[in-house]
Amino acid sequence: MGKYAQIVIGPAGCGKSTYCNHLYEHCQAIKRSIHVVNLDPAAESFQYPVSLDVRDLVSLEDVVEELGLGPNGGLLYCMEYLEENLHEWLGTELEGYGDDDYLVFDCPGQIELYNHLSVFRTFVDFLKSDGWSVCVVYCLDAHFITDVAKFMAGALQALAAMVKLELPHVNILTKIDLLEDKRHLDDFLFPDPALLLPQLAASTGPRFKQLNTAMAGLLDEFSLVSFLPLDITDEDSIADILGQIDMAIQYGEDAEPRIRDEYEGGDEEEGDGDGGVDI
């Protein structure tokens, strides 16, 4: 077995920490060990036990108080400070983890951290160089599908993160259990830009026609963005998502099969034919 990690990202309020909590509870139920790491310097409380906490290195509260920055600027400062001290702090913290360990990184909600700045690309490169198999989990609130313009923006954000981080990538529509109308959900799980374009044009007006066409064309050209639904009231939902992530990072595929020789330490009985093994 190797070392495996999920990096859970997405806009603020999209359900990243809720996903981490239900993933932890699911793994506890199936007796699978995972460790959740908080990478949000602005976090205040957690439903899950935190194995590592970036606030031990830098916290938003301290930065705002000492430097007089606002919450957004303070968070950017915190993440840049993390990037500068990544090897010294995180490298030291991860020394206690080895083969068979599975980490889930719960990340802050500023999308520019994943789409534009270098901090998470540096973070990803560090994990890969240390031998971790990594998958990005991009969370998007299911409320986005109630407005096709918002959904297209969210899909483009996910695509930008995929291009920036260059990792196996699983997109999740969270809070499915809160949707009142699920009749058209499949249209957004596997979005066809050509089918969504008329809805987009109707909601934004004719002056945005060229922009809408360009956005739809971009999603269609890459053909990478699809979503898995997360319903926290359905245990099979989180199990299906975890299964997809496991396949993306090949979790457990390098484990040796357990083999038992039926004739260990003795001769075959007469008439048994070829010896065999149970796998």
Side-chain angles (χ1 to χ4, degrees), residues 35-261:
H35 308 275
V36 186
V37 180
N38 173 48
L39 278 190
D40 186 357
E44 297 179 352
S45 61
F46 307 94
Q47 295 175 291
Y48 51 79
V50 179
S51 297
L52 298 176
D53 194 342
V54 72
R55 296 176 303 173
D56 294 336
L57 173 70
V58 60
S59 73
L60 178 62
E61 183 179 1
D62 292 341
V63 167
V64 169
E65 181 178 346
E66 294 178 15
L67 300 180
L69 296 173
N72 290 330
L75 183 56
L76 293 179
Y77 178 91
C78 290
M79 299 311 292
E80 289 174 350
Y81 187 82
L82 169 63
E83 184 176 14
E84 293 171 0
N85 295 274
L86 195 59
H87 290 264
E88 180 179 350
W89 176 72
L90 188 59
T92 301
E93 294 290 342
L94 292 183
E95 287 178 356
Y97 296 92
D99 286 349
D100 298 339
D101 278 319
Y102 197 116
L103 300 184
V104 179
F105 292 90
D106 188 3
C107 301
Q110 282 188 295
I111 58 174
E112 57 265 36
L113 296 173
Y114 321 118
N115 297 346
H116 305 300
L117 302 183
S118 63
V119 54
F120 270 89
R121 182 54 192 256
T122 302
F123 173 57
V124 163
D125 291 342
F126 168 77
L127 289 178
K128 290 168 63 178
S129 68
D130 196 37
W132 293 84
S133 298
V134 187
C135 179
V136 174
V137 179
Y138 193 97
C139 296
L140 191 68
D141 192 325
H143 177 71
F144 275 53
I145 73 173
T146 62
D147 184 334
V148 68
K150 289 178 63 176
F151 176 78
M152 292 289 284
L156 287 171
Q157 290 169 4
L159 178 60
M162 296 171 79
V163 172
K164 179 74 173 179
L165 299 179
E166 296 183 305
L167 283 174
H169 204 102
V170 173
N171 301 309
I172 299 175
L173 273 182
T174 62
K175 307 181 185 180
I176 292 295
D177 48 297
L178 301 181
L179 275 182
E180 295 181 359
D181 185 358
K182 299 182 177 68
R183 289 176 299 173
H184 303 291
L185 178 60
D186 288 346
D187 294 342
F188 297 93
L189 297 179
F190 305 97
D192 183 344
L195 295 179
L196 295 178
L197 188 56
Q199 300 178 48
L200 184 61
S203 66
T204 58
R207 62 175 177 162
F208 293 104
K209 180 179 179 180
Q210 290 185 326
L211 177 60
N212 293 340
T213 302
M215 290 193 300
L218 185 63
L219 287 174
D220 188 52
E221 179 181 355
F222 279 88
S223 297
L224 294 174
V225 180
S226 60
F227 292 89
L228 297 173
L230 174 60
D231 181 343
I232 62 173
T233 66
D234 182 1
E235 196 69 16
D236 290 338
S237 176
I238 191 69
D240 290 343
I241 290 171
L242 182 58
Q244 291 289 332
I245 295 169
D246 286 347
M247 285 193 293
I249 57 178
Q250 298 181 317
Y251 174 80
E253 290 190 7
D254 54 354
E256 294 183 1
R258 298 178 180 178
I259 300 177
R260 178 175 61 84
D261 190 340

